[in-house]
Amino acid sequence: MSQFINTKENLVTDAVDGLIKSSGGSLARLDGYPHIKVVCRADWDKSKVALISGGGSGHEPAHAGFVGRGMLTAAVCGEVFASPSVDAVLAGILAVTGDAGCLLIVKNYTGDRLNFGLAAERARAFGLKVSMVVVGDDIALPDLPQPRGVAGTLFVHKIAGALAEQGADLDTVQAAAQQTIEAAASIGMSLDTCTMPGSEKEDRIPAGKAELGLGIHGEAGVEQVVHQNAAQAMDMMLGKLEPQISKDTHAVILNNLGGTTPLEMSVLAQELASNPKAVNIKYIVGPGAMMTALDMHGFSLSVLPVTPDNEPLLLSDVGVAAWPGMKKIGPVAVQPLPDGLSPIQPIASENPKVRALIEEICDLLIASEDDLNALDAKSGDGDTGSTLTTAAQALKTSLDRMPLADLTQLFRAISNELSQTMGGSSGIILSIFFGATGDACANGKPTAAALLAGLERISEVGGAQAGDRTMIDALEPALKALPNGLAAAAQAARKGADDTASIGRAKAGRSSYVPEENLLGHNDPGAEAVARLFEKLA
């Protein structure tokens, strides 16, 4: 699988240096490459308790991304999904620990526990005060005596980091960290596995399934479950956490496991905030990528009771860009539309024949969604069918308030509807088309001539002409043939659409950015939609 890396051998050191070079001088590293990869605060003076975490790389921004004021003092980075060596951990301890001592925050994996633990023993032999806590927040395997440490670790970083920044002593910081560990709970879900650098992705999760309770190293989940949508996924996850969140006020970390788009994460945030099982979750951290598993297409939830003691620590400011801050979950704030935006609504009127015709056209566009999306994927972003389907569905639901018996007003009403419900440039173009057609009808032009006037207007505004590989290649010949009947118009539209397959250079629209080899042999999706529409009319 292709990735933006140089070599597997230099992957982590390249990434660490990239992080430091883009930190604005707030971070530094120890001079121990390639075996010792320790990222430190550049402003650290050893006067306060130091916090060190770390582990295998591949979880970015954790752990080095959380080094900064109010969180970690240093992070010890191993290779991808591999614990750092004892020497690397010891180097980090020696570099940042002063008289106030040091707290190691370790996720509950055997390699991390052993290497950090032995490094702590060696540091104590140097006379340093070193304590260690082990995070085991994963609830996916309830019978496991040693639960894994996952994204709930970030709550520990935040609370311990805030106390250390305030000047608390090591015992106080350790006690708060341990209390946080005992109260935190996490679980994850993914639609796909992660990709180890330089390797092929494991094909473990079939289509239509999700893996529940998986780890952050690509470990298989507890079970594979049917995946329906974001609402079902969130409800299932909250159901697993219900024993923890059934009482008291809680905060949640909504964590992107690496390959989930920000758009999906916002949908998951909406489902989280709307689910009745989350009634006691009052605060949210995220959504965002905080502790990832390379490119895993999944998310995790980590919950923690909010108390009078830890609330100010969780809310305190930090000098770490990767921490999105904790915010209260609130309702959607809605403000009224400004005056003049909402169009004057026409007087509804009924015409059964016109209603049936519009419904048939809308049904055709909805049924063509997948075909048109597939065509658009050859020359654009693959959404022409979806865009037209959204408009068709909205148009069908608006028919009761349409002036179906008044063609002039109907064209204008369709224009208004498309301007509000149909996205993309095609929505604007068709809105202009129907609006100009309605204006032409109002000025006394017959329907066929009015439609041509609408076509002329969109060419003026959009800049596209016949031959540019757009919907106009089918629409113009169809409208010119319309006086000869719908069959002639349909035949002309089909020929115009099919001819676009031989146009290798688009001069307008998104296809104009696409190489010739991607266009040849494929009809323009907008022209194809027009052809299908006229064939249906005929």
Side-chain angles (χ1 to χ4, degrees):
M1 179 178 176
S2 297
Q3 295 172 306
F4 290 109
I5 65 174
N6 296 315
T7 65
K8 289 191 294 182
E9 293 75 17
N10 297 333
L11 171 58
V12 177
T13 53
D14 284 350
V16 168
D17 282 348
L19 174 68
I20 294 171
K21 288 178 178 179
S22 58
S23 72
S26 65
L27 301 178
R29 68 169 173 85
L30 299 185
D31 185 11
Y33 274 3
H35 304 298
I36 294 175
K37 299 178 280 290
V38 178
V39 177
C40 312
R41 285 179 60 173
D43 62 348
W44 189 244
D45 61 7
K46 298 188 180 182
S47 63
K48 299 174 182 177
V49 172
L51 297 185
I52 300 177
S53 190
S57 297
H59 306 301
E60 287 70 23
H63 300 86
F66 294 104
V67 174
R69 177 179 54 81
M71 292 192 79
L72 297 179
T73 314
V76 189
C77 306
E79 293 301 313
V80 174
F81 293 169
S83 178
S85 68
V86 175
D87 283 351
V89 179
L90 180 59
I93 297 171
L94 296 176
V96 300
T97 305
D99 292 341
C102 168
L103 178 65
L104 304 181
I105 302 171
V106 181
K107 298 189 302 303
N108 195 15
Y109 297 96
T110 302
D112 289 349
R113 290 188 68 149
L114 291 175
N115 288 326
F116 277 81
L118 181 53
E121 293 296 332
R122 291 185 178 176
R124 293 185 192 113
F126 284 98
L128 298 176
K129 292 193 298 183
V130 180
S131 297
M132 186 171 94
V133 293
V134 179
V135 185
D137 55 307
D138 185 20
I139 64 164
L141 301 165
D143 298 325
L144 193 69
Q146 296 287 343
R148 298 171 293 198
V150 286
T153 308
L154 302 176
F155 280 131
V156 185
H157 292 172
K158 183 67 185 70
I159 289 173
L163 282 170
E165 194 67 37
Q166 293 172 8
D169 62 28
L170 180 57
D171 289 343
T172 302
V173 174
Q174 181 183 4
Q178 189 60 48
Q179 188 176 31
T180 304
I181 290 168
E182 293 168 2
S186 299
I187 193 164
M189 175 184 282
S190 184
L191 301 176
D192 203 356
T193 56
C194 59
T195 308
M196 286 294 288
S199 302
E200 293 299 316
K201 182 187 286 289
E202 180 187 0
D203 188 16
R204 187 177 73 221
I205 305 175
K209 294 277 190 175
E211 207 159 70
L212 180 65
L214 72 174
I216 55 172
H217 303 98
E219 309 100 311
V222 177
E223 60 179 323
Q224 289 191 354
V225 297
V226 173
H227 173 65
Q228 297 174 357
N229 52 35
Q232 174 250 9
M234 182 58 69
D235 187 70
M236 188 178 299
M237 295 273 277
L238 289 170
K240 295 293 183 180
L241 291 167
E242 207 161 11
Q244 282 77 22
I245 60 175
S246 59
K247 59 181 181 178
D248 301 325
T249 297
H250 279 71
V252 64
I253 294 174
L254 178 50
N255 175 53
N256 185 344
L257 285 170
T260 310
T261 64
L263 189 66
E264 292 169 281
M265 293 303 298
S266 291
V267 172
L268 290 167
Q270 150 67 10
E271 294 304 329
L272 169 68
S274 304
N275 194 296
K277 293 175 183 174
V279 65
N280 292 324
I281 296 178
K282 306 297 185 183
Y283 291 97
I284 187 169
V285 180
M290 288 167 273
M291 185 172 287
T292 63
L294 294 173
D295 61 342
M296 187 176 286
H297 189 180
F299 72 101
S300 67
L301 299 177
S302 300
V303 294
L304 181 74
V306 177
T307 68
D309 290 334
N310 69 21
E311 184 176 28
L313 303 174
L314 289 166
L315 289 170
S316 65
D317 185 38
V318 298
V320 176
W323 179 255
M326 188 174 81
K327 303 174 182 66
K328 282 189 174 181
I329 297 175
V332 175
V334 180
Q335 298 181 354
L337 288 172
D339 291 341
L341 181 62
S342 299
I344 298 173
Q345 295 299 325
I347 299 174
S349 58
E350 187 55 57
N351 185 318
K353 185 176 180 181
V354 172
R355 175 185 285 268
L357 181 62
I358 293 176
E359 287 178 339
E360 285 189 25
I361 291 171
C362 290
D363 289 340
L364 167 73
L365 294 175
I366 293 168
S368 300
E369 179 178 5
D370 290 341
D371 290 347
L372 296 175
N373 279 344
L375 265 183
D376 193 31
K378 307 290 185 184
S379 59
D381 54 3
D383 69 346
T384 292
S386 299
T387 300
L388 289 170
T389 293
T390 299
Q393 291 170 335
L395 191 57
K396 284 185 70 175
T397 61
S398 70
L399 289 178
D400 287 341
R401 48 187 170 81
M402 286 284 182
L404 300 177
D406 185 336
L407 194 58
T408 297
Q409 295 304 318
L410 178 59
F411 283 134
R412 288 171 168 168
I414 291 174
S415 171
N416 289 333
E417 184 66 31
L418 295 181
S419 72
Q420 297 175 65
T421 60
M422 187 175 179
S425 56
S426 54
I428 301 300
I429 288 171
L430 289 177
S431 176
I432 293 171
F433 171 74
F434 283 106
T437 300
D439 292 343
C441 283
N443 290 327
K445 288 191 175 183
T447 301
L451 289 167
L452 281 172
L455 175 64
E456 183 179 349
R457 183 70 58 81
I458 62 173
S459 290
E460 291 173 357
V461 175
Q465 306 288 334
D468 288 350
R469 206 181 196 279
T470 68
M471 68 170 72
I472 291 176
D473 288 299
L475 187 58
E476 180 175 299
L479 294 181
K480 287 182 175 179
L482 189 58
N484 298 322
L486 281 171
Q491 185 176 9
R494 170 51 58 196
K495 183 179 185 305
D498 291 346
D499 285 349
T500 62
S502 63
I503 301 175
R505 177 66 186 275
K507 298 177 183 177
R510 192 171 281 115
S511 296
S512 61
Y513 313 132
V514 178
E516 179 176 344
E517 59 268 22
N518 291 50
L519 300 179
L520 290 174
H522 307 291
N523 285 13
D524 174 77
E528 176 65 23
V530 170
R532 293 188 182 198
L533 186 148
F534 274 95
E535 286 169 343
K536 182 68 173 178
L537 290 174

